[in-house]
Each structure stands twice: as structure tokens, then as C-alpha cells.
């Protein structure tokens, strides 16, 4: 899987609110950092964090701009919107950084 495919599948998993699909894309020892809440999650805690997040939030995520690709990582911006008709109203913008080392 190339970097672009990884990001496509990652956003699709978030749009499906599928914690297991998100985790399948990450290394078993991956750590997720939520900058808004300043929380780190790993392992079973990460799975539960995703399940809880998906239970509380019902947004649609889409790429915003180009991917920033480097040998050992990916960065990208996204837009979260309400899942209403025609994409719904924008709720917030965010960014993700994948460290591939």
C-alpha cells in the first residue's frame, strides 16, 4: 500500500466509524496523539478511544489540500463536516501526521 492509499483508507475508516479498520492501518504499537485533548493512546486504550470518539461524534472527513509526503511520514489536513445532505456544514478543520519509522 502506498502513502496515498493509506490516507484514503484511513479517512474511509473514520467515515465508517470503524475502530478496527483504523487500527488495521496502524502498527500494533502505534501511539495516537489527540492535540486538542492533549491525550496519548496506545493498544487497547487506543481502540477504546476510537470507539468512544465514534460514539460521540458523527462527522464526515475529507482531505483538504495535498498530502505532504516524506520518506518516513505523511502529513495532511482534513475537514470534518456534519453528515447532512450535500456534505453538511463544516464543523472543524484538523491535521494528521503519520510517523512511518
Amino acid at each position: 500500500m502506498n502513502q496515498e492509499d493509506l490516507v484514503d483508507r484511513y479517512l474511509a475508516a473514520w467515515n465508517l466509524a470503524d475502530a478496527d479498520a483504523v487500527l488495521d492501518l496502524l502498527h500494533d504499537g502505534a501511539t495516537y496523539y489527540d492535540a486538542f485533548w492533549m491525550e496519548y493512546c496506545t493498544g487497547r486504550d487506543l481502540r477504546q478511544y476510537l470507539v468512544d470518539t465514534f460514539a460521540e461524534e458523527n462527522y464526515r472527513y475529507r482531505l483538504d489540500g495535498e498530502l505532504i509526503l516524506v520518506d518516513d511520514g505523511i502529513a495532511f489536513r482534513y475537514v470534518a463536516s456534519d453528515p447532512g445532505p450535500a456534505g453538511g456544514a463544516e464543523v472543524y478543520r484538523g491535521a494528521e501526521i503519520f510517523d512511518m519509522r
Side-chain angles (χ1 to χ4, degrees), residues 15 57-61 79-92:
N15 284 330
E57 299 176 359
N58 183 26
Y59 301 133
R60 299 290 300 165
Y61 301 90
V79 175
S81 60
D82 285 323
E90 180 179 312
V91 177
Y92 69 91

Side-chain angles (χ1 to χ4, degrees), residues 58-74:
N58 183 26
Y59 301 133
R60 299 290 300 165
Y61 301 90
R62 67 175 169 76
L63 192 61
D64 181 27
E66 299 294 319
L67 301 178
I68 300 169
L69 305 174
V70 295
D71 289 340
D72 58 359
I74 308 166

Side-chain angles (χ1 to χ4, degrees), residues 5-6 8 13 20 24-25 28 33 35 38-39 42 44 49 52-53 60 66 68-69 72 89 99 101:
D5 291 339
L6 174 62
D8 287 345
D20 291 324
D24 285 346
L25 297 169
D28 289 341
Y33 176 65
M38 298 183 345
E39 296 177 334
T42 304
R44 263 186 261 148
Y49 171 83
D52 292 346
T53 297
R60 299 290 300 165
E66 299 294 319
I68 300 169
L69 305 174
D72 58 359
D99 182 343
R101 290 178 272 160

